[in-house]
Amino acid sequence: MRCATLTAEQAHQQQFEELLERHRGIVFKVAGTYCRDPHERDDLAQDIAAQLWRAFSGFDDQRAFSTWMYRIALNTAISHLRDRTRRERHHEPLQEWHDLAAESGNPEDDARLRDLYRCIDRLDAFDRALLVLYLDERGQRDIAEILGISETNVATRIGRLKQRLRKEMER
Amino acid sequence: MELDDLKSAWQTLDRRIERQSRLQFQLLRERHLDTVRSRLRRLFWGKIVTILFGDALLYLGIMASIGYRDTPHLLACSLFLLAYGACLIVLGGVALVRIDRVDYSAPVLDIQRRIAHLERKEIVSGICIGLPWWLLWLAIFLLEMKSWAGIDLWLSAPAFVLASIAAGIAGLAISIWAFRRSHTAPQSRVGRWFERRIGAQGLREARRRLEEVRSFEQAD
């Protein structure tokens, strides 16, 4: 009996690990969007994975895993950003360049990534979430479902984001 | 560079993450998946401690109210302790239910709104839990003096008890005034002090976050 339970648990964990591995890019992309420091980013990725595992028993197989995963990853990352802002209220650290945008031998790519992170750094928590989803080419309906806003709102917000980034790039 | 141009940068990032994340994913798997270090988790354990403390006060209150049922002023102190302990348990329990209802798989704005509400309620309930201590310490002191030293301070030193009650009421009134002042005039000296010491800033921050959620929801 105990053996059967263990097997069911192991199968459950294995199923989770397979899905997590298939969609691991979401974890690292979201963590990278909300954390500049590599160690902090690893900790956030770990927190996201832990939250995913905690919520996995309630996951509905009929729904898209990536949508479910995005919700948890973004909620964890936004809460993490809030906690960090609270801790660093009186001590804003110097801005560090993201290690993912570090020199890689392709100066054009590096410059593009630095621009990307410069844009991300200027956005608040919700706009960052919107940008991540947009850049990851999620449909408007998907974005609306993940964020909990209407599709019209998603379209309006993306339009505003484009305008804002255009203005900032012109400066 | 426009938003659409950022997409090619994102694809570059995607490729780099794809390369790096294989190794990172192995490390992720090796670490324990049951370690969540979120603020809610800390809040959860904080509430467990609050409930245990409430249990202890409730127990002391019950024992004292049985022991001193024939001495009105000590019975009043016991009932105060009992009621405070019960309040801690109820508030702690309500907070635990609220924390438990935060489901990270719900839409982002719903959860962020819920967390901001939760934080605001926690700060307010923290202040409410702190205020009675202006008088509660005296109730405990009177009970302990009677219980450990056999001295009934109400009978042997009524001036001390009355002065402590007066000081407690004054302290309570000043705290409530300062709390209100931190709302109406946050830049005043009192407002700033209250913000630093008691957590009015957290309250304002929670309100600001709720406003942020609200404004993001509005498409206009």
Side-chain angles (χ1 to χ4, degrees):
Chain A
M1 181 70 184
R2 185 174 149 74
C3 198
T5 315
L6 270 178
T7 316
E9 270 177 28
Q10 281 167 350
H12 186 63
Q13 181 152 359
Q14 197 181 342
Q15 187 199 2
F16 172 75
E17 285 183 359
E18 278 168 14
L19 285 166
L20 184 63
E21 180 156 22
R22 205 178 306 151
H23 298 276
R24 67 181 187 276
I26 294 177
V27 175
F28 294 110
K29 271 185 277 188
V30 170
T33 303
Y34 287 86
C35 290
R36 292 184 216 118
D37 177 68
H39 300 294
E40 199 188 342
R41 197 181 58 223
D42 286 348
D43 284 347
L44 176 56
Q46 169 69 21
D47 277 357
I48 293 173
Q51 288 285 6
L52 287 165
W53 172 238
R54 270 164 59 86
F56 188 58
S57 55
F59 170 63
D60 177 4
D61 286 352
Q62 305 300 310
R63 309 188 70 180
F65 185 76
S66 60
T67 303
W68 176 83
M69 194 171 182
Y70 256 122
R71 278 183 175 177
I72 294 179
L74 288 170
N75 271 318
T76 311
I78 292 171
S79 297
H80 178 90
L81 185 72
R82 307 281 197 224
D83 283 0
R84 199 186 60 193
T85 313
R86 195 179 288 119
R87 284 197 307 269
E88 292 171 357
R89 194 179 289 137
H90 304 295
H91 176 69
E92 191 62 38
L94 289 171
Q95 196 163 333
E96 292 170 35
W97 282 119
H98 212 290
D99 62 323
L100 285 168
E103 303 297 321
S104 68
N106 186 337
E108 209 174 299
D109 277 358
D110 295 339
R112 241 191 313 205
L113 278 181
R114 275 197 293 273
D115 282 342
L116 172 67
Y117 280 113
R118 204 175 290 133
C119 288
I120 289 172
D121 280 350
R122 286 183 194 138
L123 300 175
D124 66 26
F126 296 137
D127 276 335
R128 279 187 204 195
L130 184 67
L131 184 67
V132 169
L133 295 167
Y134 174 79
L135 293 177
D136 228 12
E137 300 194 315
R138 311 292 302 193
Q140 285 191 1
R141 180 188 275 190
D142 235 8
I143 298 178
E145 203 187 318
I146 292 166
L147 295 181
I149 54 177
S150 66
E151 283 184 54
T152 324
N153 197 352
V154 172
T156 313
R157 294 242 154 237
I158 289 174
R160 280 188 201 160
L161 201 56
K162 282 181 179 176
Q163 276 180 355
R164 190 179 151 190
L165 290 174
R166 198 175 299 139
K167 269 187 201 164
E168 282 182 8
M169 290 300 171
E170 280 168 6
R171 268 183 219 161
Chain B
M1 192 185 222
E2 291 204 9
L3 192 53
D4 289 319
D5 299 323
L6 290 180
K7 276 191 179 171
S8 70
W10 189 256
Q11 280 151 10
T12 307
L13 178 69
D14 222 9
R15 287 194 294 275
R16 286 193 190 177
I17 282 181
E18 179 59 29
R19 279 200 302 271
Q20 290 188 9
S21 66
R22 276 185 200 285
L23 177 67
Q24 283 173 318
F25 185 72
Q26 283 307 318
L27 293 171
L28 204 70
R29 282 178 64 176
E30 284 160 17
R31 289 157 84 176
H32 294 291
L33 280 175
D34 51 0
T35 324
V36 181
R37 287 156 304 160
S38 72
R39 195 161 178 270
L40 286 183
R41 203 86 190 129
R42 292 195 294 275
L43 200 60
F44 176 86
W45 287 109
K47 288 296 136 190
I48 297 285
V49 172
T50 305
I51 290 173
L52 290 176
F53 185 56
D55 283 339
L57 291 183
L58 184 72
Y59 173 76
L60 285 175
I62 290 171
M63 297 313 285
S65 56
I66 293 169
Y68 301 122
R69 62 185 176 277
D70 298 326
T71 319
H73 57 278
L74 291 178
L75 179 64
C77 291
S78 314
L79 292 176
F80 187 14
L81 200 61
L82 190 152
Y84 185 77
C87 280
L88 282 188
I89 295 169
V90 170
L91 285 174
V94 169
L96 282 184
V97 171
R98 282 198 201 119
I99 293 167
D100 191 52
R101 281 189 188 155
V102 175
D103 169 14
Y104 270 36
S105 63
V108 173
L109 271 88
D110 282 359
I111 289 306
Q112 295 308 317
R113 186 193 303 106
R114 196 167 278 192
I115 292 174
H117 271 302
L118 186 72
E119 287 181 350
R120 193 175 65 176
K121 281 175 185 158
E122 273 317 295
I123 294 167
V124 171
S125 84
I127 292 169
C128 294
I129 283 172
L131 286 176
W133 281 97
W134 280 109
L135 292 164
L136 193 65
W137 72 271
L138 183 63
I140 295 173
F141 189 55
L142 286 178
L143 290 171
E144 292 304 307
M145 283 301 279
K146 179 69 182 166
S147 159
W148 293 102
I151 301 168
D152 190 335
L153 283 175
W154 177 255
L155 299 178
S156 58
F160 164 76
V161 177
L162 288 172
S164 300
I165 291 173
I169 290 171
L172 194 61
I174 290 169
S175 303
I176 293 169
W177 172 77
F179 181 56
R180 291 174 70 94
R181 182 102 176 119
S182 75
H183 274 268
T184 52
Q187 291 310 315
S188 65
R189 193 191 284 181
V190 175
R192 285 204 305 271
W193 178 84
F194 203 80
E195 192 171 274
R196 276 200 312 275
R197 302 275 167 171
I198 317 290
Q201 186 167 357
L203 210 55
R204 235 189 331 270
E205 212 166 278
R207 214 175 296 131
R208 190 183 55 76
R209 280 178 195 163
L210 282 171
E211 194 44 54
E212 215 176 293
V213 171
R214 224 169 281 137
S215 85
F216 196 84
E217 276 173 329
Q218 286 164 1
D220 45 60

